[in-house]
Amino acid sequence: MKKIFIISSLSVLALVGILLGCKKVSKGFISDYMYYTPNPLIATQGNVVNSKAIELDGTTGPVKVKLLAVRNMDTGQPAPDMLKEFTIKQFLGQITSADSTVALVNKKIVLKPALPLEISEIGGRISLSQATANVATGNYVIDVQVTNIKGTRDILNACKIQLLPKAHYSLDAGPFFTTSDPDTETGFSAQSPLPVTITYDSKGPNKIRFVFLDKNGTAFDPSAGQIVTRGDRGNFSQMNPYFSVVRTTTALEWEFIDLPNGFPIKDGNNGTGNYYRIPARFTVENRNANPVFFGFKALSAGSYTVTVQIPAITKKP
């Protein structure tokens, strides 16, 4: 009898083990601590800005992300303008070298509706479009919902968005100048900081002016050959093949096209670098002056004056 009892007990244990082994195993993991970086996401009105995908904190992918709400952080109230469609300029396709005229470029620009704020369903990337030009500046915050094979989490205050006033132009840091020997490419001095200031007139025609001043604020005369390009180095005319440069007594001038992502969109021989020269025969110091600046871009319609003042150089009377 004992043997029969032992065998029966073992059978029961085996059956229990089988039943336990058949229990459904929970799949995946979803974290309560998913987050965005950077946070806050900083943008300017009218410019395209994209965040990284939401950081999953070990959550099993793939995930689907849904925008639940966007609020004004200062008031706590909903921000409906962030979710409202506005008509903006957009590109139909990439601008290439074949688009060599204003008319051909304009054929690739259309007016289309767009939302200022969108969240990518896959990965949760935050996208801010040019339509933010129609949204008030300030601090905003979003709530999102994340779903994967394990379940769903609502992430409240998932990311702050700081919307700054529209920037009408951009210019890279670090403009510089050198001096060099007359009529040659020798004897270059060390690079020195170059003061560059930009003024903008929203009511003016679409025009960009480069003005070059000596240390006393006297303008050099491009129409008299006092401002020249530097061989095959980059310059703004290379970036603006649509309009010829006009050389006045005080400035180099170009018209430009008001484009969705700013102008220019083409690079020159040195990327966005503008390399110019005042020949030595026009300076008291009898030295070439070589101003260099990168990344100037007009982000709105209107008139721009880029003023470059060269220290340590005096215009010859």
Side-chain angles (χ1 to χ4, degrees), residues 27-96:
K27 293 183 179 181
F29 168 73
I30 187 164
S31 173
D32 292 317
Y33 302 104
M34 290 174 276
Y35 59 94
Y36 280 98
T37 58
N39 189 357
L41 179 64
I42 300 175
T44 56
Q45 290 174 309
N47 286 349
V48 174
V49 175
N50 295 305
S51 76
K52 298 178 182 178
I54 192 168
E55 297 286 348
L56 297 180
D57 187 42
T59 294
T60 304
V63 299
K64 290 187 176 181
V65 184
K66 177 183 177 182
L67 178 64
L68 295 178
V70 55
R71 296 181 301 281
N72 185 300
M73 278 187 61
D74 300 324
T75 65
Q77 297 300 307
D81 282 353
M82 277 288 198
L83 305 176
K84 178 181 176 182
E85 281 191 341
F86 296 93
T87 300
I88 63 171
K89 283 185 175 182
Q90 297 187 50
F91 286 115
L92 279 173
Q94 184 177 0
I95 305 299
T96 69

Side-chain angles (χ1 to χ4, degrees), residues 178-190 230 233 277-280 285-290:
T178 60
T179 64
S180 57
D181 294 336
D183 304 316
T184 186
E185 295 295 318
T186 61
F188 281 85
S189 67
R230 291 177 56 188
R233 293 292 182 98
R277 169 166 291 168
I278 293 93
E285 294 79 11
N286 196 35
R287 297 278 290 169
N288 297 327
N290 310 304

Side-chain angles (χ1 to χ4, degrees), residues 47-287:
N47 286 349
V48 174
V49 175
N50 295 305
S51 76
K52 298 178 182 178
I54 192 168
E55 297 286 348
L56 297 180
D57 187 42
T59 294
T60 304
V63 299
K64 290 187 176 181
V65 184
K66 177 183 177 182
L67 178 64
L68 295 178
V70 55
R71 296 181 301 281
N72 185 300
M73 278 187 61
D74 300 324
T75 65
Q77 297 300 307
D81 282 353
M82 277 288 198
L83 305 176
K84 178 181 176 182
E85 281 191 341
F86 296 93
T87 300
I88 63 171
K89 283 185 175 182
Q90 297 187 50
F91 286 115
L92 279 173
Q94 184 177 0
I95 305 299
T96 69
S97 57
D99 303 307
S100 56
T101 67
V102 175
L104 289 172
V105 171
N106 283 334
K107 282 185 178 181
K108 288 189 174 178
I109 300 173
V110 293
L111 294 175
K112 293 176 65 177
L115 297 172
L117 169 67
E118 292 187 271
I119 303 294
S120 172
E121 182 181 51
I122 304 301
R125 186 176 72 163
I126 303 168
S127 295
L128 296 167
S129 77
Q130 298 101 318
T132 53
N134 301 285
V135 177
T137 59
N139 298 307
Y140 298 87
V141 65
I142 62 171
D143 303 333
V144 299
Q145 185 180 82
V146 183
T147 302
N148 73 350
I149 193 171
K150 176 69 174 179
T152 297
R153 291 288 186 274
D154 290 349
I155 311 298
L156 304 181
N157 303 315
C159 189
K160 299 172 184 176
I161 298 170
Q162 186 177 5
L163 187 61
L164 302 175
K166 181 176 177 62
H168 296 291
Y169 59 85
S170 63
L171 179 71
D172 290 352
F176 66 90
F177 79 98
T178 60
T179 64
S180 57
D181 294 336
D183 304 316
T184 186
E185 295 295 318
T186 61
F188 281 85
S189 67
Q191 295 179 5
S192 298
L194 177 70
V196 178
T197 57
I198 300 173
T199 57
Y200 168 66
D201 178 7
S202 63
K203 297 180 180 179
N206 289 351
K207 185 174 287 188
I208 293 165
R209 302 173 71 245
F210 286 0
V211 176
F212 296 85
L213 307 179
D214 73 356
K215 67 180 182 182
N216 299 314
T218 303
F220 289 94
D221 181 353
S223 69
Q226 295 179 1
I227 304 294
V228 298
T229 56
R230 291 177 56 188
D232 63 352
R233 293 292 182 98
N235 59 75
F236 198 75
S237 286
Q238 294 171 357
M239 302 174 222
N240 183 6
Y242 312 108
F243 299 97
S244 297
V245 61
V246 176
R247 298 175 180 273
T248 72
T249 57
T250 57
L252 301 173
E253 295 185 354
W254 299 264
E255 295 178 64
F256 73 93
I257 314 169
D258 179 26
L259 296 177
N261 295 332
F263 186 93
I265 56 172
K266 293 180 179 291
D267 284 350
N269 291 349
N270 295 84
T272 64
N274 291 281
Y275 289 74
Y276 287 95
R277 169 166 291 168
I278 293 93
R281 64 183 180 276
F282 300 113
T283 70
V284 170
E285 294 79 11
N286 196 35
R287 297 278 290 169

Side-chain angles (χ1 to χ4, degrees), residues 14-27 150:
L15 180 60
V16 170
I18 291 169
L19 292 173
L20 289 173
C22 292
K23 184 178 179 182
K24 188 175 181 180
V25 177
S26 178
K27 293 183 179 181
K150 176 69 174 179

